[in-house]
Amino acid sequence: MASRQAGDPPPRHIAGHRPERGHAAGERSIGRARPVASGFVGTVLESRHSNFAAGNRVRGGHLWQTHHVVPGTSLAKIPQDADPLDELGVLGGPGLVAWCGMRIAAVRPGETLVVSAAGGAIGMVAGQLGKAGGARVVGIASGEKAEYVVHELGFDACVDRSTTAVAGGLDEHCPEGIDAYFDNVGGDTGTAAFDRLREHGRYIICGMAAEYNGPESNVGPPLRPMLRKRLRLEGFVVYDHYPEYEAFRSEMQELRRNGSVRYRYETLHGLDTAPEGLTRLLSGQNQGKMIVNLAASR
């Protein structure tokens, strides 16, 4: 199946992709000569697959390039009038990841939820799902993102890690401890949150951005507090939850309609800007879900 991203000139989009290491990715690390994989939204140009026809809008995942020949099993149809940004963001992979993680966290009304990388593509959704469920939500972010999640997304508070030590900020905003922690970064931030979990607290491991470029730690969380406080620590990978996609999409569309979930994107233009977008993403400089519009590509 050949596909080209849609529009006039065709708006072509690839989602920013965060390379992963070890068992979380299940793949080799990116080498200098290897193409980078990412998600995309596009339009079918020609099809030999019975489920697709030329002109269909589709979502899938492939390489950083403007045209693709892919098996039909790797694509999913999307509505012709769908917003391609939302299909890559809040209704796509990042939204699904946040939704699955929050279901595992099982946050109850009145509990305190802490979300790291709160201004990122996943953290934005996780925090708002917590608020929609009646939790008190505290984010961890830096600079403008820390203000954004409070003033625009409705988080109750946010630790600005660029100006405040995370441990001290959590003590200030979570004086009675943390009931659930949605971890996107690992590292010292994760340790500070773990140390402040209350009895029956849940530590949900979604990502470890602070550790991807370094050696894997030989030391995990101490087990005595896990026993004493009856804690639950659980990692998850979204691949295991694809069968739940339709339930996620239905719920998220309603939350978008009623204003419970807001979202933002940062868009660069042209395939040649993709490395810049990836650099901004990995350095935390992005403001929202990172998107590359391929319409300007040559």
Side-chain angles (χ1 to χ4, degrees):
M1 173 177 294
S3 67
R4 183 184 68 190
Q5 276 62 16
D8 185 20
R12 299 174 292 229
H13 306 269
I14 62 175
H17 175 70
R18 186 184 299 276
E20 297 181 340
R21 295 170 60 92
H23 68 274
E27 298 178 354
R28 61 185 180 272
S29 60
I30 297 175
R32 180 173 298 178
R34 303 184 199 281
V36 181
S38 195
F40 68 85
V41 167
T43 297
V44 175
L45 295 181
E46 179 182 343
S47 175
R48 298 177 183 175
H49 194 288
S50 60
N51 291 344
F52 298 92
N56 285 163
R57 299 287 295 280
V58 293
R59 181 186 61 248
H62 209 51
L63 306 177
W64 281 7
Q65 56 195 52
T66 59
H67 293 69
H68 305 266
V69 178
V70 296
T73 52
S74 70
L75 301 176
K77 284 183 183 178
I78 61 174
Q80 292 296 105
D81 60 350
D83 182 340
L85 297 183
D86 276 357
E87 293 296 329
L88 290 170
V90 68
L91 296 179
L96 177 61
V97 170
W99 183 83
C100 292
M102 288 301 295
R103 284 166 65 89
I104 295 169
V107 179
R108 295 178 284 273
E111 289 190 327
T112 294
L113 165 70
V114 172
V115 181
S116 58
I122 296 170
M124 288 189 289
V125 179
Q128 290 179 91
L129 290 176
K131 287 297 296 181
R136 179 175 180 273
V137 179
V138 176
I140 302 172
S142 59
E144 183 272 345
K145 293 179 185 178
E147 297 183 3
Y148 173 77
V149 300
V150 173
H151 299 304
E152 298 295 332
L153 302 187
F155 285 41
D156 295 281
C158 189
V159 178
D160 185 346
R161 63 181 181 85
S162 67
T163 60
T164 305
V166 172
L170 291 177
D171 286 338
E172 176 184 353
H173 295 301
C174 309
E176 297 182 5
I178 299 168
D179 295 293
Y181 174 55
F182 193 108
D183 187 21
N184 288 302
V185 300
D188 293 341
T189 297
T191 299
F194 178 87
D195 290 344
R196 288 156 179 81
L197 288 173
R198 291 161 47 88
E199 289 186 355
H200 303 288
R202 286 87 68 200
Y203 188 119
I204 307 304
I205 306 173
C206 175
M208 307 188 76
E211 302 184 27
Y212 290 146
N213 292 325
E216 187 168 345
S217 173
N218 293 323
V219 180
L223 297 183
R224 286 188 183 181
M226 294 191 68
L227 175 61
R228 175 170 48 85
K229 294 196 284 187
R230 287 85 80 198
L231 304 178
R232 178 162 63 90
L233 186 151
E234 183 171 348
F236 76 100
V237 177
V238 72
Y239 310 142
D240 297 334
H241 299 273
Y242 284 158
E244 302 170 51
Y245 177 75
E246 291 304 325
F248 148 73
R249 187 180 179 93
S250 177
E251 181 176 328
M252 189 59 66
Q253 285 178 316
E254 178 58 30
L255 290 170
R256 288 284 275 170
R257 279 193 291 266
N258 66 28
S260 296
V261 172
R262 304 176 67 183
Y263 205 74
R264 69 174 178 173
Y265 302 88
E266 178 178 346
T267 303
L268 301 179
H269 297 272
L271 182 59
D272 59 338
T273 68
E276 175 190 350
L278 181 59
T279 299
R280 288 180 58 78
L281 177 68
L282 293 176
S283 64
Q285 299 177 56
N286 61 302
Q287 296 184 340
K289 171 65 177 175
M290 180 59 69
I291 298 289
V292 176
N293 185 325
L294 300 180
S297 300
R298 296 181 181 179

